[in-house]
């Protein structure tokens, strides 16, 4: 229950809150209720407080009364001024309203004035337009009268003025009168144009059926109209160029093209210019270029004399390019000789071209520059024709095929020691061959040589090529390649074939190489007398290289002839230097297209090798001879022929062809041997038969290659090629057998039989019979070990497969087995062939110790 507060205290609290804005400090007063009985007390207190405030205000305002009176007077004055301003504003508004009324009257008057001015301007414009229409009508009437009187130029002039006046109608363009005037002008323009074209057709008549063109100086209508009037009229109409173009097309089809074009029956049109017409009179057999130039002179004379310059000169601008193009392409270019035999006639043709250029200059026609340019380019044109003819001839030769095969002989002379055992007596070859059967010493020497240079197909001979003799390096030798060769190889697509394998000429002798005598000593070459020995070898080539060489020699002969003093004034004399570059292009053509034509022959790559090498040798000889004779015959040609880089490229090309064929055959032989599957399970069916087939196929393939190449390669190259391939076979068989970790006795015997089967290929390595004393193969020793890498290693492997441990230890300690096998390799074979036993362990230990 709220506390009971006295009414007086409540009233005092309310008064303080209303007067001072403070709240009671006592919570009891704040929370107390205000009963109805307290209201009178509250009202009394409030009235008392109000009276106190009034009294206080009155007392304070007594001192400020004068100021208040001043404020009141100022306020009254301000109110009076405000009323005055209001009255002035009302007067302004009234006067403004009066001005708007005056402006409306002025605006109305201005509108009436503008209307009157517009009427006046319209009337003036109407008058001017009517006067303009009257002038246009008069002009059109004058045009019509002039056209009827054949005054065509005047008609065109007045028509142009009328059309110009019609264009000035502007705002009246869409009116009916303007449309009528335009239509009338268009009708007159069409009529005049038709009249002028009729006159043009009367002056210049073309009849394609009759193949005739007639040109007159004047034509008859109501009056005579000359060609100058028509030209002026067409110029004003802008139709002259069109008519000249039509004349060109008609004249070209009727006269020019039939005269310049030869039909399939080798006839051309015969033309005749007589009086006002020029026509085709019939067909005639192909005439000479001199007759053609006479006809062209007649054509130019006919057109230039019967047409005014205003037509003839523009006509020549489009007629001469067509005439010149057909003349050059159809007559001049085919007349260019491909050799020097017809050069006099060609010089006469050039004189005719120069004469035609002078004629064009005299009549001020176009086309002179084109003819002079062709004459200036005559050396280049002739050189291009000569190059195209030569290359086309080479292309034709290649397309005809390889031709007949012939045997050629290479003869080389070397200076050797007179005491050289290889060249003693008539049986030098026999004595040397006999060394291969002189016991273990000879075998040891052969084995040592083979092991040291097994990757070089000819190094087992102990013979090297002499680079000073311009001979080919061995396949392992570094062959310098010029940047030109690399560029040519890239250009002809040879970049992917980098092999340059070739057979080394085994029958060459290097005098700087020490040769072993039959007793194993090296002779003292310095103390022995020297003598020359000629070495020969025979191989086959096709007909192509001789034919290509003939083309090259003919080109060089023409170049030398053209470089002589009696040709200095010839118009094609500058082409002499260019002729010396054609052999390079011919050889490039041979290298680029030759392989595709040689592939039709089973031994194509080998023939390509022989042909290229023979051609290179002949070119070297030819270049040397040409250098010796050029200075005397034609000093200007001295040093011009530079074929050494091309010969180097040709020899590299030959090596690539040989290497490609060898790689193909190696791949074939490798694929055949792959059928044996590494000789695993070679005694168990069906693997046994597959191994037998693989080895037999490989041997048969080798014999097929021998028969195939025997008539192509020289004997030394044949043996080297076959030896290299046989080396591939033996190497693979050796590796496959060595990879077998366990070889049973039946497998060992089977493998030995395979080796024996391959060893029968020795009969294709019999040396060539060079003397009458060598009459049977029994007196010769096969040269298999000389030409076949790993051959002795292969033979020892065959012996190991059939030998006992005792025999193997003997071969290792007393024989030459250690020259072919390392101790680890032999131990691996023994472990594969023999079961683990005390004997095997002792044998292995002895081999390791030795």
């Amino acid at each position: 229950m709220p506390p009971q507060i006295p009414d007086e205290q409540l009233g005092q609290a309310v008064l303080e809150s209303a007067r001072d804005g403070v709240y009671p400090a006592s919570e009891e007063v704040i929370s107390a209720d205000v009963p109805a009985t307290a209201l009178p007390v509250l009202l009394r207190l409030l009235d008392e407080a109000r009276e106190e405030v009034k009294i206080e205000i009155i007392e304070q305002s007594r001192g400020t009364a004068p100021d208040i009176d001043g404020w009141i007077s100022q306020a009254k004055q301000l109110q009076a001024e405000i009323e005055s301003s209001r009255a002035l504003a009302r007067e302004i508004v009234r006067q403004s309203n009066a001005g708007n009324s005056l402006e409306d009257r002025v605006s109305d008057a201005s509108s009436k004035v503008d209307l009157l001015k517009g009427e006046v301007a319209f009337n003036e414009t109407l008058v001017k337009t009517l006067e303009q229409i009257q002038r246009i009508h008069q002009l059109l009437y004058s045009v019509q009268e002039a056209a009827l009187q054949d005054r065509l130029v005047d008609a065109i002039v007045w028509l142009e003025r009328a059309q110009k006046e019609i264009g000035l109608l502007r705002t009246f363009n869409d009116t009916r009168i303007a449309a009528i005037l335009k239509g009338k002008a268009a009708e007159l323009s069409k009529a005049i144009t038709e009249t002028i074209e009729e006159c043009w057709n009367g002056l210049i008549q073309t009849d394609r059926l009759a193949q005739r063109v007639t040109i007159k100086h004047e034509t008859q209508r109501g009056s005579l109209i000359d060609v100058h009037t028509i030209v002026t009229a067409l110029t004003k109409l802008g139709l002259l160029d069109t008519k000249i173009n039509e004349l060109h097309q008609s004249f070209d089809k009727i006269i020019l093209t039939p005269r310049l074009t030869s039909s399939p029956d080798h006839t051309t049109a015969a033309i005749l210019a007589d009086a006002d017409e020029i026509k085709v009179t019939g067909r005639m057999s192909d005439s000479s270029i001199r007759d053609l130039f006479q006809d062209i002179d007649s054509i130019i004379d006919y057109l230039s004399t019967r047409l005014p310059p205003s037509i003839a000169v523009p006509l020549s601008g489009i007629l001469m390019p067509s005439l010149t193009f057909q003349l050059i392409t159809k007559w001049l270019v085919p007349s260019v000789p491909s050799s020097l035999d017809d050069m006099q006639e060609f010089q006469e043709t050039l004189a005719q071209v120069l004469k035609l250029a002078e004629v064009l200059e005299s009549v001020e026609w176009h086309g002179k520059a084109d003819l002079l340019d062709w004459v200036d380019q005559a050396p280049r044109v002739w050189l291009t024709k000569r190059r195209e003819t030569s290359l086309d001839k080479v292309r034709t030769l290649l397309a005809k095929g390889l031709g007949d095969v012939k045997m050629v002989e290479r003869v080389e002379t070397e200076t050797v020691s007179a005491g050289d055992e290889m060249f003693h007596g008539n049986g030098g070859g026999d004595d040397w061959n006999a060394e291969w059967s002189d016991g273990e010493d000879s075998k040891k020497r052969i084995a040592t040589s083979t092991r040291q240079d097994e990757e070089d197909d000819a190094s087992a001979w102990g013979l090297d090529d002499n680079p000073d003799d311009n001979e080919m390096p061995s396949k392992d030798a570094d062959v310098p390649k010029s940047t030109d060769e690399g560029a040519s190889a890239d250009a002809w697509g040879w970049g992917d074939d980098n092999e340059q394998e070739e057979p080394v000429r085994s029958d060459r002798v290097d005098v700087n190489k020490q040769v072993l005598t039959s007793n194993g000593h090296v002779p003292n070459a310095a103390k022995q007398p020297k003598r020359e020995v000629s070495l020969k070898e025979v191989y086959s080539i096709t007909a192509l290289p001789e034919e290509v060489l003939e083309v090259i020699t003919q080109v060089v002969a023409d170049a030398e002839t053209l470089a002589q003093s009696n040709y200095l004034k010839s118009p094609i004399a500058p082409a002499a230097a260019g002729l010396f570059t054609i052999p390079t292009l011919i050889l490039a053509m041979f290298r680029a297209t030759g392989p595709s034509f040689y592939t039709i022959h089973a031994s194509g790559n080998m023939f390509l090798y022989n042909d290229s090498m023979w051609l290179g040798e002949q070119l070297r000889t030819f270049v040397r001879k040409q250098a010796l004779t050029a200075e005397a015959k034609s000093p200007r040609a001295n040093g011009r022929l530079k074929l050494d880089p091309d010969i180097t490229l040709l020899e590299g090309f030959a090596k690539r062809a040989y290497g490609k064929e060898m790689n193909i055959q190696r791949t074939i032989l490798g694929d055949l041997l792959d059928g044996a599957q590494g000789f695993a399970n070679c005694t168990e069916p069906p693997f046994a038969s597959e191994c037998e087939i693989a080895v037999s196929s490989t041997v048969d393939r080798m014999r097929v290659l021998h028969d195939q190449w025997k008539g192509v390669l020289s004997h030394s190259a044949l043996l080297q090629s076959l030896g290299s391939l046989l080396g591939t076979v033996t190497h693979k068989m050796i590796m496959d057998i060595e990879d077998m970790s366990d070889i049973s006795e039946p497998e060992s015997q089977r493998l030995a039989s395979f080796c024996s089967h391959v060893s029968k290929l020795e009969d294709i390595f019999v040396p060539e019979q060079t003397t009458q004393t060598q009459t049977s193969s029994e007196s010769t020793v096969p040269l298999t070990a000389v030409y076949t890498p790993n051959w002795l290693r292969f033979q020892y492997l065959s012996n190991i497969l059939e030998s006992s441990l005792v025999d193997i230890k003997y071969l290792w300690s007393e024989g030459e087995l250690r020259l072919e096998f390392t101790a680890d390799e032999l131990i691996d074979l023994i472990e594969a062939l023999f079961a683990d036993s005390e004997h095997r362990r002792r044998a292995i230990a002895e081999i390791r110790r030795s």
Side-chain angles (χ1 to χ4, degrees):
M1 180 177 179
Q4 294 293 329
I5 302 298
D7 294 339
E8 188 69 27
Q9 186 177 355
L10 288 173
Q12 190 64 35
V14 172
L15 178 60
E16 292 177 355
S17 175
R19 184 184 62 193
D20 302 328
V22 297
Y23 290 93
S26 175
E27 291 291 338
E28 294 178 354
V29 175
I30 293 174
S31 61
D33 293 332
V34 180
T37 58
L39 294 177
V41 177
L42 292 175
L43 293 175
R44 180 176 57 77
L45 292 175
L46 290 175
D47 289 339
E48 292 176 356
R50 182 174 59 184
E51 289 299 332
E52 291 177 359
V53 171
K54 286 180 178 181
I55 294 171
E56 186 178 355
I57 290 173
I58 291 171
E59 291 178 355
Q60 292 180 357
S61 62
R62 289 175 180 172
T64 59
D67 296 332
I68 293 175
D69 293 339
W71 293 344
I72 293 173
S73 63
Q74 291 178 1
K76 289 179 179 180
Q77 184 181 357
L78 178 60
Q79 186 175 5
E81 292 177 354
I82 291 173
E83 290 296 331
S84 176
S85 297
R86 287 178 180 175
L88 181 60
R90 284 194 293 270
E91 180 64 21
I92 292 173
V93 171
R94 186 184 66 78
Q95 292 179 1
S96 176
N97 291 334
N100 289 337
S101 176
L102 293 175
E103 288 179 359
D104 291 339
R105 292 173 63 187
V106 170
S107 176
D108 183 54
S110 297
S111 298
K112 292 178 180 180
V113 172
D114 292 339
L115 178 61
L116 293 175
K117 288 181 179 180
E119 290 293 335
V120 172
F122 173 75
N123 291 333
E124 292 177 352
T125 303
L126 181 60
V127 171
K128 291 180 180 179
T129 302
L130 292 175
E131 292 176 351
Q132 188 176 2
I133 291 173
Q134 185 179 11
R135 287 196 305 272
I136 294 172
H137 184 266
Q138 292 175 351
L139 286 171
L140 292 177
Y141 179 78
S142 300
V143 170
Q144 186 174 1
E145 290 297 320
L148 292 175
Q149 297 173 8
D150 293 329
R151 292 184 291 116
L152 300 177
V153 176
D154 294 338
I156 293 173
V157 172
W158 289 334
L159 179 61
E160 290 177 349
R161 290 176 58 187
Q163 290 175 337
K164 183 178 180 180
E165 291 289 339
I166 292 173
L168 295 176
L169 290 176
R170 296 176 183 172
T171 57
F172 295 92
N173 281 335
D174 297 331
T175 61
R176 181 174 178 79
I177 186 64
I180 293 174
L181 293 175
K182 289 180 180 178
K184 184 66 174 176
E187 291 177 359
L188 291 174
S189 177
K190 181 179 179 181
I192 294 172
T193 302
E194 290 176 352
T195 301
I196 293 174
E197 288 183 345
E198 183 180 347
C199 294
W200 173 269
N201 294 332
L203 293 170
I204 301 175
Q205 301 173 6
T206 58
D207 189 345
R208 297 191 179 184
L209 293 178
Q211 291 186 300
R212 179 176 60 239
V213 175
T214 302
I215 301 177
K216 300 179 180 179
H217 290 288
E218 55 187 13
T219 183
Q220 179 69 42
R221 278 179 57 85
S223 60
L224 288 176
I225 301 177
D226 61 10
V227 66
H228 297 285
T229 301
I230 299 301
V231 170
T232 304
L234 288 173
T235 302
K236 290 184 175 296
L237 290 176
L239 298 176
L240 182 60
D241 291 340
T242 302
K243 291 301 179 182
I244 291 176
N245 188 49
E246 292 176 356
L247 174 60
H248 159 251
Q249 294 178 358
S250 299
F251 195 86
D252 182 70
K253 291 182 179 179
I254 295 173
I255 303 298
L256 282 184
T257 299
R259 180 61 186 91
L260 293 171
T261 303
S262 178
S263 61
D265 59 352
H266 302 290
T267 61
T268 60
I271 63 172
L272 175 64
D274 183 20
D276 290 337
E277 70 176 14
I278 183 172
K279 61 184 178 179
V280 175
T281 59
R283 307 294 297 180
M284 62 178 180
S285 60
D286 285 349
S287 59
S288 64
I289 291 185
R290 177 177 298 178
D291 295 335
L292 174 64
F293 278 103
Q294 290 178 355
D295 288 343
I296 293 175
D297 288 341
S298 300
I299 292 172
I300 295 174
D301 179 70
Y302 173 80
L303 293 176
S304 61
T305 56
R306 285 161 179 78
L307 291 175
S310 57
I311 296 179
V313 175
L315 176 63
S316 69
I318 54 178
L319 182 68
M320 288 308 300
S322 174
L323 187 150
T324 304
F325 176 77
Q326 295 186 69
L327 175 64
I328 292 175
T329 56
K330 297 178 180 179
W331 290 86
L332 295 182
V333 172
S335 70
V336 176
S338 58
S339 65
L340 298 178
D341 299 335
D342 301 325
M343 191 52 60
Q344 183 63 34
E345 183 177 351
F346 182 59
Q347 292 179 355
E348 294 176 358
T349 300
L350 295 178
Q352 293 289 334
V353 176
L354 293 174
K355 182 180 178 182
L356 177 58
E358 293 176 356
V359 171
L360 293 176
E361 184 180 16
S362 65
V363 296
E364 298 181 352
W365 273 31
H366 300 278
K368 171 187 174 183
D370 294 336
L371 295 175
L372 294 179
D373 287 344
W374 193 85
V375 173
D376 293 339
Q377 294 177 1
R380 183 181 301 176
V381 173
W382 181 82
L383 180 61
T384 301
K385 182 68 172 289
R386 188 70 175 90
R387 179 171 59 247
E388 291 175 353
T389 302
S390 300
L391 295 179
D392 185 66
K393 187 173 183 180
V394 173
R395 186 165 44 247
T396 303
L397 292 174
L398 290 170
K400 286 169 56 179
L402 304 184
D404 297 332
V405 177
K406 62 177 293 186
M407 303 297 293
V408 294
E409 187 179 68
R410 180 188 293 113
V411 180
E412 299 177 4
T413 301
E414 294 289 347
T415 302
V416 299
S417 300
D420 195 333
E421 195 68 26
M422 291 181 65
F423 304 99
H424 277 170
N426 295 330
D430 270 332
D431 295 340
W432 188 86
N433 289 332
E435 286 190 334
W436 295 99
S437 59
D438 282 346
E440 298 299 332
D441 291 339
S442 298
K443 294 181 180 179
K444 185 173 182 179
R445 287 193 299 271
I446 295 172
T448 303
S449 177
T450 304
R451 288 291 293 170
Q452 290 176 349
D453 299 299
E454 62 179 328
E455 293 184 358
D456 189 341
D457 292 338
S459 59
W461 277 97
L463 304 175
D464 293 331
D465 281 340
N466 189 352
D468 295 333
D469 293 334
N470 290 324
E471 293 298 331
M472 299 169 292
S474 65
K475 69 173 184 178
D476 291 331
D478 293 333
V479 180
K481 297 181 181 179
S482 64
T483 56
D484 292 339
E485 178 180 352
S488 300
D490 292 339
W492 295 109
W494 295 334
D496 295 335
D497 188 4
N498 296 322
E499 295 189 10
Q500 293 192 353
E501 181 179 2
E502 63 163 335
V504 180
R505 301 172 189 177
S506 302
D507 49 2
R508 295 227 16 230
V509 178
D510 189 345
V511 298
N512 297 322
K513 188 77 175 181
Q514 291 181 337
V515 182
L516 298 178
T517 61
S518 58
N519 57 6
H521 296 289
V522 179
N524 190 350
K527 297 181 180 180
Q528 296 178 356
K530 305 289 185 178
R531 69 185 182 95
E532 290 186 350
V533 176
S534 295
L535 305 176
K536 300 179 181 180
E537 61 177 356
V538 179
Y539 58 96
S540 299
I541 62 171
T542 66
L544 282 177
E546 290 183 317
E547 294 170 339
V548 172
L549 180 63
E550 181 180 355
V551 175
I552 293 175
T553 54
Q554 183 59 47
V555 170
V556 176
D558 288 349
E560 292 177 339
T561 302
L562 202 59
Q564 293 177 2
S565 58
N566 55 335
Y567 276 90
L568 287 177
K569 296 182 179 180
S570 174
I572 62 169
L579 282 177
F580 286 105
T581 64
I582 294 180
T584 296
L585 299 178
I586 293 175
L587 294 177
M589 170 71 73
F590 178 77
R591 297 195 306 270
T593 61
S596 60
F597 295 102
Y598 276 85
T599 53
I600 61 176
H601 196 282
S603 302
N605 282 323
M606 292 306 182
F607 272 120
L608 183 57
Y609 167 77
N610 283 348
D611 289 355
S612 300
M613 297 306 299
W614 182 87
L615 181 58
E617 292 174 354
Q618 297 302 314
L619 287 175
R620 287 189 189 279
T621 302
F622 174 72
V623 170
R624 286 195 296 268
K625 292 181 179 179
Q626 192 271 343
L628 294 175
T629 59
E631 185 173 359
K633 294 171 57 178
S634 52
R636 292 174 58 208
N638 189 24
R640 295 275 188 169
L641 184 61
K642 299 177 181 180
L643 289 181
D644 288 341
D646 302 291
I647 296 173
T648 302
L649 286 175
L650 187 63
E651 291 175 346
F653 170 71
K655 298 170 189 177
R656 285 189 291 272
Y658 176 83
K660 180 180 179 181
E661 181 66 20
M662 293 296 291
N663 286 336
I664 291 173
Q665 299 305 328
R666 288 191 182 101
T667 302
I668 294 174
L669 294 172
D671 292 342
L672 292 175
L673 277 180
D674 285 339
Q677 300 180 11
F679 298 102
N681 303 317
C682 60
T683 58
E684 299 179 3
F687 303 107
S689 60
E690 292 180 357
C691 293
E692 181 67 31
I693 292 173
V695 175
S696 299
S697 300
T698 302
V699 173
D700 292 342
R701 180 64 184 175
M702 288 292 299
R703 295 193 181 278
V704 167
L705 292 177
H706 175 264
D707 296 337
Q708 183 175 305
W709 293 348
K710 186 176 181 180
V712 179
L713 298 174
S714 64
H715 188 72
S716 61
L718 173 66
L719 296 187
Q720 181 184 340
S721 302
L722 295 175
S724 178
L725 296 178
L726 182 57
T728 301
V729 173
T730 56
H731 176 74
K732 181 171 177 56
M733 291 185 67
I734 291 171
M735 296 302 296
D736 288 344
I737 294 174
E738 288 182 344
D739 288 341
M740 298 175 66
S741 59
D742 187 13
I743 304 175
S744 63
E745 183 176 356
E747 289 177 338
S748 176
Q749 294 175 356
R750 188 67 169 168
L751 292 173
S753 67
F754 292 154
C755 294
S756 177
H757 193 181
V758 173
S759 297
K760 293 179 181 179
L761 290 173
E762 277 191 327
D763 57 3
I764 66 177
F765 290 91
V766 176
E768 189 176 15
Q769 303 296 323
T770 57
T771 64
Q772 296 181 354
T773 58
Q774 295 173 328
T775 58
S776 66
S777 59
E778 296 179 356
S779 61
T780 60
V781 175
L783 304 179
T784 316
V786 177
Y787 290 100
T788 304
N790 292 332
W791 181 250
L792 296 181
R793 179 181 174 87
F794 181 72
Q795 295 299 316
Y796 274 119
L797 177 62
S798 178
N799 292 336
I800 291 172
L801 292 173
E802 294 181 313
S803 299
S804 63
L805 276 174
V806 176
D807 295 335
I808 293 173
K809 287 192 297 180
Y810 176 78
L811 290 174
W812 177 261
S813 59
E814 303 297 335
E816 290 79 18
L817 182 58
R818 68 178 63 207
L819 299 177
E820 301 299 330
F821 287 90
T822 64
D824 292 336
E825 290 174 339
L826 183 59
I827 290 171
D828 290 340
L829 284 173
I830 291 174
E831 290 177 347
L833 289 169
F834 300 98
D836 188 15
S837 64
E838 183 63 26
H839 294 291
R840 192 184 81 172
R841 287 192 291 272
R842 284 201 301 269
I844 291 174
E846 291 179 6
I847 291 173
R848 290 188 189 278
R849 286 194 300 270
S850 60

